[in-house]
Amino acid sequence: MTEVERKKEILKLMRKRARLLAPNDFAHFLAYANPKYQAEWFHQLIAHRCQDVLEGRIKNLMVFIPPQHGKSEIISRMFPAWALGRNPDLKIVSCSYSSDLSQQFSRSVQRIIDTKDYAEIFPDTFISGSMVAAAEVKGFVRNVDFFETVGHRGFYKAVGVGGSLTGTPVDIAIIDDPVKDAAEANSTTYRQRVWDWYNTVLSTRLHNESRQLFIMTRWHEDDLAGRILRAEPNEWQVLSIPAICEVERDNGLSRRKIGDALWPQRHSLEKLEKQKTRAPREFSALYQQRPTIEGGNIVKRDWFPRISLADFTALRFREPMHFYLDTAYNKRKKGQDNDPSGILAACRINNQIYVYKAQRVWKEMPDLLRFIPEFMGSNLGNEESILHVEPKANGISVVQMLHELSTLNVRQTPTPQDDKEVRLRVVSPRIETGRVTLVEGSWNDDFLDEVCGFPTQPHDEFVDILGYAINDLYHNGDDLSPDVDIDDLFSY
């Protein structure tokens, strides 16, 4: 047997295996229905979750992945055909931002059902006008946005957001990108219109056993997915996969490392980084699935004044720089590696705090102990500088070892009594009044993304250490006018 013949035989066997497994395994159906389809790990993961929806293990599923990563091919084109093959009595409604797009999905589903390959594994599921349908079959509707399964009670209906579903019971509702573009996403009126349609049209067609499959690229914190999750957070399972990995192995979903692209063969890391540079806020929403409120959440971006390095250097003179460290856990968390440590350099000049540098690092204890003096030395640290360390995780060990191994002035911060959100809200008035200035540098955007995106960001080290710095550098409200009531200012 030649090499070419051997490869053909292997492909033949793989095809035979896919045919045997496809009726009961959606991931194998993808390969069977389209032999050229090259499923990546996240495609297979989505397929498994879709099968969980059909088989009742998941009732409501949201899938958030970046644009052009194959989500619609799996969920809006392949899944309805496979689901109707498994159960031709299903009543499926597919919704998208326009009737035109919904009709495109409908045509794709019909083409799959019409194929000979489909008929071989699902002989009981066919639609009027197909090669399988008998000539005398009449009375079963088939058009661009609606078709019925011949001899059964099932159907598929395509509708644009805003369209009518009067009299249509729904077993599975598929919502694929209810927002077309940034203009719609940023329109309060349009977001409300979509929300009203979901509550007065789609949801009224659901029954006790209905399931929902919601896929979209996030545009806005207040989009339809955001509103649904706020209204009923415990009723949905969310599968969110960012374009660039932010947590080791995607919390146990993959083998990716931090910084790896999701689909490098189609969307390289270089391409993604360029996209991020062009539009950081949009990239965070569309590609990383972390939309933020315009300007920030608890803290707004425009609350932070900026100062050039030259102007800051001229202003500072001999004011000591102090440092604030939030250490990561040593223990490996389930499904992921260590969180990063965060360190911040800041000083106070008159009644203004200047953040000179903030950096996030992934280092185990020995490397972290070597890194800290280097960071302090290269960021204006001197013998007057104090390193403040939160006594959590391995922070206590860091304090003890630095006392023993270095001449650094190291101090433990008070143990926090409140959660992170409360602590950020307490210091936010000083940020809002422009008392915290950033020294211009390449780190600014990452710092602002995390602090202003909190609590939707994957990490919050900068949130912690910024709060430590503000509380430490302002003692007992000594920056405030005697006429100001501190309790009133910090109330929320």
Side-chain angles (χ1 to χ4, degrees):
M1 180 181 294
T2 66
E3 182 66 18
V4 173
E5 290 173 335
R6 190 179 69 84
K7 289 182 178 180
K8 287 183 177 179
E9 186 64 24
I10 292 174
L11 291 174
K12 184 178 178 180
L13 291 173
M14 291 175 62
R15 179 71 175 162
K16 184 177 181 179
R17 182 174 184 270
R19 182 175 181 272
L20 290 172
L21 297 175
N24 295 306
D25 189 285
F26 183 40
H28 282 90
F29 178 80
L30 297 178
Y32 176 76
N34 182 2
K36 295 181 179 180
Y37 189 82
Q38 298 294 319
E40 298 293 323
W41 68 266
F42 60 93
H43 295 139
Q44 295 182 16
L45 177 60
I46 293 170
H48 293 321
R49 295 291 172 85
C50 288
Q51 182 156 348
D52 288 339
V53 170
L54 179 66
E55 296 177 352
R57 289 182 291 275
I58 296 176
K59 185 174 177 62
N60 300 314
L61 174 67
M62 288 189 181
V63 178
F64 304 144
I65 66 172
Q68 300 300 312
H69 277 68
K71 62 184 183 300
S72 293
E73 179 67 21
I74 299 173
I75 298 178
S76 293
R77 295 184 175 93
M78 295 284 196
F79 178 69
W82 182 76
L84 287 170
R86 289 280 303 270
N87 182 0
D89 290 320
L90 280 176
K91 300 170 178 61
I92 299 176
V93 168
S94 178
C95 317
S96 191
Y97 60 77
S98 72
S99 57
D100 288 344
L101 181 58
S102 295
Q103 289 172 358
Q104 289 180 31
F105 292 146
S106 176
R107 284 191 287 267
S108 295
V109 175
Q110 293 181 45
R111 281 194 289 267
I112 294 169
I113 294 176
D114 280 341
T115 63
K116 181 180 178 180
D117 288 339
Y118 184 91
E120 287 182 355
I121 62 171
F122 294 127
D124 292 335
T125 301
F126 55 94
I127 53 184
S128 179
S130 71
M131 66 177 70
V132 181
E136 64 272 12
V137 171
K138 294 181 180 179
F140 288 91
V141 178
R142 176 179 181 173
N143 55 50
V144 69
D145 53 20
F146 183 84
F147 63 82
E148 298 172 297
T149 51
V150 174
H152 296 276
R153 299 188 302 273
F155 63 76
Y156 175 99
K157 181 177 179 62
V159 63
V161 169
S164 173
L165 286 173
T166 302
T168 306
V170 177
D171 295 326
I172 297 179
I174 300 173
I175 306 173
D176 187 337
D177 273 340
V179 176
K180 178 175 66 175
D181 54 26
E184 288 186 352
N186 291 318
S187 167
T188 304
T189 301
Y190 184 82
R191 293 198 304 274
Q192 186 61 43
R193 186 184 306 159
V194 173
W195 179 241
D196 290 342
W197 174 84
Y198 177 80
N199 285 294
T200 61
V201 178
L202 180 61
S203 64
T204 64
R205 311 319 305 164
L206 305 178
H207 53 78
N208 288 345
E209 304 304 319
S210 295
R211 284 145 284 174
Q212 298 181 74
L213 225 176
F214 194 137
I215 59 171
M216 70 179 298
T217 298
R218 298 299 304 273
W219 285 89
H220 196 282
E221 189 270 350
D222 189 44
D223 57 21
L224 180 58
R227 291 195 181 193
I228 291 173
L229 289 175
R230 285 197 299 274
E232 43 191 40
N234 298 322
E235 296 183 26
W236 289 80
Q237 185 170 132
V238 177
L239 176 62
S240 181
I241 308 176
I244 299 176
C245 183
E246 296 175 322
V247 179
E248 289 288 327
R249 299 193 299 280
D250 291 291
N251 277 322
L253 297 178
S254 76
R255 296 181 179 179
R256 286 203 296 172
K257 296 184 180 298
I258 293 172
D260 286 351
L262 179 58
W263 198 1
Q265 300 90 332
R266 294 288 298 274
H267 304 281
S268 68
L269 183 60
E270 180 183 10
K271 172 181 176 288
L272 295 173
E273 291 290 358
K274 287 181 180 178
Q275 186 75 24
K276 180 180 179 180
T277 300
R278 285 196 297 268
R281 183 173 179 272
E282 288 73 14
F283 185 88
S284 178
L286 298 177
Y287 288 84
Q288 300 300 96
Q289 313 310 315
R290 289 188 282 97
T292 59
I293 297 172
E294 183 68 44
N297 291 318
I298 297 172
V299 173
K300 315 299 182 185
R301 298 178 82 92
D302 58 9
W303 290 356
F304 291 90
R306 308 268 189 116
I307 187 173
S308 70
L309 178 59
D311 288 344
F312 171 75
T313 302
L315 179 68
R316 173 176 168 259
F317 189 50
R318 293 180 56 84
E319 194 65 36
M321 188 69 64
H322 297 297
F323 298 83
Y324 304 86
L325 176 68
D326 179 58
T327 58
Y329 285 88
N330 263 339
K331 292 183 179 179
R332 183 186 295 265
K333 293 183 179 179
K334 183 178 180 181
Q336 69 183 76
D337 285 332
N338 292 355
D339 287 333
S341 296
I343 189 167
L344 178 146
C347 70
R348 175 178 166 182
I349 303 173
N350 297 321
N351 286 331
Q352 194 75 9
I353 289 177
Y354 293 87
V355 181
Y356 184 74
K357 179 74 175 289
Q359 185 174 339
R360 187 186 297 121
V361 294
W362 282 263
K363 293 183 181 295
E364 297 291 345
M365 180 67 79
D367 290 335
L368 183 62
L369 292 174
R370 285 189 288 269
F371 166 78
I372 292 169
E374 294 171 359
F375 180 89
M376 294 176 65
S378 61
N379 288 282
L380 308 182
N382 58 29
E383 65 278 0
E384 296 182 71
S385 298
I386 299 174
L387 172 66
H388 301 260
V389 183
E390 183 183 6
K392 70 171 187 180
N394 56 358
I396 296 175
S397 298
V398 168
V399 171
Q400 293 171 344
M401 291 183 181
L402 287 176
H403 277 152
E404 182 178 344
L405 301 174
S406 76
T407 60
L408 298 177
N409 302 314
V410 186
R411 178 187 300 169
Q412 287 185 191
T413 64
T415 301
Q417 300 300 314
D418 299 312
D419 63 30
K420 294 175 187 291
E421 182 171 339
V422 170
R423 302 200 309 265
L424 182 59
R425 289 187 184 277
V426 167
V427 300
S428 64
R430 289 193 170 106
I431 303 173
E432 184 176 6
T433 53
R435 296 289 182 87
V436 181
T437 296
L438 305 186
V439 178
E440 291 178 348
S442 60
W443 58 273
N444 288 174
D445 284 340
D446 275 347
F447 177 82
L448 290 173
D449 285 346
E450 179 182 305
V451 173
C452 299
F454 179 82
T456 65
Q457 301 297 294
H459 301 294
D460 52 26
E461 291 74 30
F462 294 155
V463 174
D464 280 339
I465 54 183
L466 177 62
Y468 301 154
I470 293 173
N471 286 327
D472 175 62
L473 294 172
Y474 284 133
H475 302 291
N476 301 318
D478 60 1
D479 60 307
L480 302 175
S481 166
D483 297 329
V484 176
D485 188 321
I486 296 178
D487 291 333
D488 288 342
L489 182 59
F490 287 169
S491 64
Y492 52 88

